C-alpha cells in the first residue's frame, strides 16, 4: 500500500526530537481521500455516501464539503461524522462546486484523491481497482468508465467494458480528452495528490472539469485506464448539467477556447 513520506529537518533538537517523532508515528493516514461536494442533494446524498463507505478498499477518508445547503443535506453530513470515523465534514460559507472541491483538496493529507458528485453513486470496487491500476501502471492518474442512470432505474452503458487494464502515454489521453473520446469528468479519475500543487479547480465558472482535467493529464508520466464502468451518473432535472443558461453556455465557450489555446501552444 502506498505510504506518505514525512521529512523532518533536524539540527540540534535532541531534547524535542523524540516527542516530535512519536507524535508523527501516532498519526494514521489513509491511502486515499474521496471528496464529495454537497449542495442541496438530500434526496440522493445517503445513497452516494453509502456507496463510498461500502468500498472494498477500507483505507479511505471521506470529506463531505457542504456549501450552503438549505434542504437538510448539511445535517445528513454531520450525522455521518457520528457513525463513521473515516468521515469529515466541512461547512463552507460560499456555494460552488469548484470552491467545495478545492476546500476538500486543501484539507486532504492522503497521497491519492478522488471525487464523487453527491447525486451520483459508485460501484463497490471502484477505488480498490483504480488504485491497483494506478500502482501497477506506475501512473500518476487512473480512470475508469461511467454509465448513465435514469429516473426509472435503467442504465445506459457507453463503453465496451472489457475489464482490461491499459497503461497509456499522457499525450494519447490528452488527445482523446480533447476529442471527447475520454470523459473530462474528474469523478471517474483517481489522482496523485501532487498533481494539484500547480493549480486546482477554477472557481466562479461552470465546466471546471472541461477546463482542467486534460491539463492534469498532461503533467502525468503515465496514466492507467481500466475499461470497466464503476461510476453511475444520475440523469436528473435540476442538476448543473441539465439546467442550461446563457452563463453556462458562455463558460463552455471559454473552456473550448482555452482548449484551443492549449493545442496551439
Amino acid at each position: 500500500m502506498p505510504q506518505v513520506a514525512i521529512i523532518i529537518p533536524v539540527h540540534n533538537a535532541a531534547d524535542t526530537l523524540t516527542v516530535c517523532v512519536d507524535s508523527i508515528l501516532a498519526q494514521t493516514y489513509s491511502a486515499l481521500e474521496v471528496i464529495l461536494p454537497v449542495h442541496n442533494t438530500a434526496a440522493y446524498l445517503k445513497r452516494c455516501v453509502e456507496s463510498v463507505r461500502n468500498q472494498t478498499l477500507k483505507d479511505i477518508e471521506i470529506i463531505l464539503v457542504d456549501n450552503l445547503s438549505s434542504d437538510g443535506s448539511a445535517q445528513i453530513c454531520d450525522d455521518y461524522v457520528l457513525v463513521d470515523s473515516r468521515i469529515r465534514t466541512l461547512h463552507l460559507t460560499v456555494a460552488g462546486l469548484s470552491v467545495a472541491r478545492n476546500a476538500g483538496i486543501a484539507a486532504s493529507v492522503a497521497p491519492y484523491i478522488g471525487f464523487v458528485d453527491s447525486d451520483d453513486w459508485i460501484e463497490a470496487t471502484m477505488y480498490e481497482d483504480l488504485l491497483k491500476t494506478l500502482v501497477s501502471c506506475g501512473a500518476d492518474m487512473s480512470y475508469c468508465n461511467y454509465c448513465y442512470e435514469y429516473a426509472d432505474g435503467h442504465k445506459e452503458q457507453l463503453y465496451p467494458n472489457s475489464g482490461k487494464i491499459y497503461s497509456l502515454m499522457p499525450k494519447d489521453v490528452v488527445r482523446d480528452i480533447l476529442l471527447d473520446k475520454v470523459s473530462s469528468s474528474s469523478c471517474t479519475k483517481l489522482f496523485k495528490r501532487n498533481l494539484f500543487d500547480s493549480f486546482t479547480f477554477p472557481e466562479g465558472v461552470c465546466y471546471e472539469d472541461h477546463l482542467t482535467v486534460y491539463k492534469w493529464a498532461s503533467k502525468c508520466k503515465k496514466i492507467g485506464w481500466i475499461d470497466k464502468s464503476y461510476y453511475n451518473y444520475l440523469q436528473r432535472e435540476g442538476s448543473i448539467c441539465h439546467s442550461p443558461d446563457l452563463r453556462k453556455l458562455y463558460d463552455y465557450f471559454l473552456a473550448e477556447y482555452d482548449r484551443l489555446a492549449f493545442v496551439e501552444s
Side-chain angles (χ1 to χ4, degrees):
M1 183 63 66
Q3 301 294 315
V4 176
I6 300 176
I7 300 172
I8 310 173
V10 177
H11 179 71
N12 295 339
D15 292 342
T16 58
L17 182 58
T18 299
V19 174
C20 175
V21 173
D22 286 346
S23 68
I24 293 173
L25 291 176
Q27 302 295 315
T28 58
Y29 297 92
S30 299
L32 65 89
E33 280 168 305
V34 184
I35 297 170
L36 275 76
V38 178
H39 179 71
N40 290 340
T41 52
Y44 314 98
L45 183 54
K46 289 184 179 179
R47 181 173 74 161
C48 176
V49 176
E50 289 300 317
S51 74
V52 183
R53 289 183 68 206
N54 293 325
Q55 290 291 290
T56 53
L57 179 66
K58 300 302 181 185
D59 189 18
I60 64 174
E61 183 175 45
I62 305 165
I63 303 178
L64 304 177
V65 188
D66 169 59
N67 51 125
L68 295 183
S69 293
S70 58
D71 68 341
S73 294
Q75 186 59 55
I76 294 173
C77 292
D78 288 340
D79 291 344
Y80 267 115
V81 173
L82 302 177
V83 300
D84 194 328
S85 62
R86 301 174 301 167
I87 295 179
R88 284 192 285 159
T89 293
L90 306 178
H91 293 288
L92 306 186
T93 58
V94 60
L97 180 59
S98 289
V99 173
R101 286 176 175 173
N102 290 341
I105 293 170
S108 67
V109 294
Y112 303 102
I113 293 177
F115 303 92
V116 178
D117 287 343
S118 59
D119 54 352
D120 301 328
W121 62 281
I122 59 177
E123 302 294 339
T125 60
M126 175 170 156
Y127 281 116
E128 180 177 3
D129 291 347
L130 280 177
L131 184 57
K132 286 180 178 177
T133 298
L134 189 152
V135 172
S136 67
C137 293
D140 300 297
M141 184 178 89
S142 61
Y143 69 95
C144 64
N145 302 340
Y146 68 93
C147 68
Y148 290 135
E149 182 182 55
Y150 295 90
D152 62 4
H154 88 272
K155 293 183 181 181
E156 179 184 359
Q157 298 292 343
L158 308 171
Y159 301 92
N161 295 324
S162 67
K164 294 180 180 178
I165 293 174
Y166 299 88
S167 180
L168 305 172
M169 295 303 296
K171 63 181 180 64
D172 296 326
V173 177
V174 170
R175 178 200 62 213
D176 287 346
I177 290 175
L178 294 175
L179 293 173
D180 291 328
K181 293 181 179 180
V182 170
S183 170
S184 293
S185 172
S186 60
C187 294
T188 57
K189 316 290 191 293
L190 181 64
F191 302 88
K192 274 191 174 179
R193 191 188 187 285
N194 59 15
L195 287 174
F196 301 106
D197 290 346
S198 53
F199 61 92
T200 53
F201 291 95
E203 299 180 6
V205 298
C206 296
Y207 297 100
E208 53 285 305
D209 287 347
H210 211 64
L211 268 167
T212 52
V213 170
Y214 70 92
K215 294 177 184 177
W216 286 315
S218 73
K219 294 181 175 296
C220 296
K221 295 178 180 178
K222 278 284 183 69
I223 296 174
W225 169 40
I226 178 166
D227 180 23
K228 189 174 179 180
S229 179
Y230 294 89
Y231 192 89
N232 298 280
Y233 176 32
L234 181 63
Q235 304 296 289
R236 67 178 180 91
E237 296 297 326
S239 67
I240 292 176
C241 292
H242 291 87
S243 52
D245 56 37
L246 289 178
R247 171 59 188 274
K248 291 175 184 176
L249 291 174
Y250 181 64
D251 286 345
Y252 183 81
F253 167 78
L254 292 180
E256 286 291 289
Y257 186 83
D258 196 66
R259 285 177 163 215
L260 179 61
F262 177 85
V263 171
E264 292 179 341
S265 65

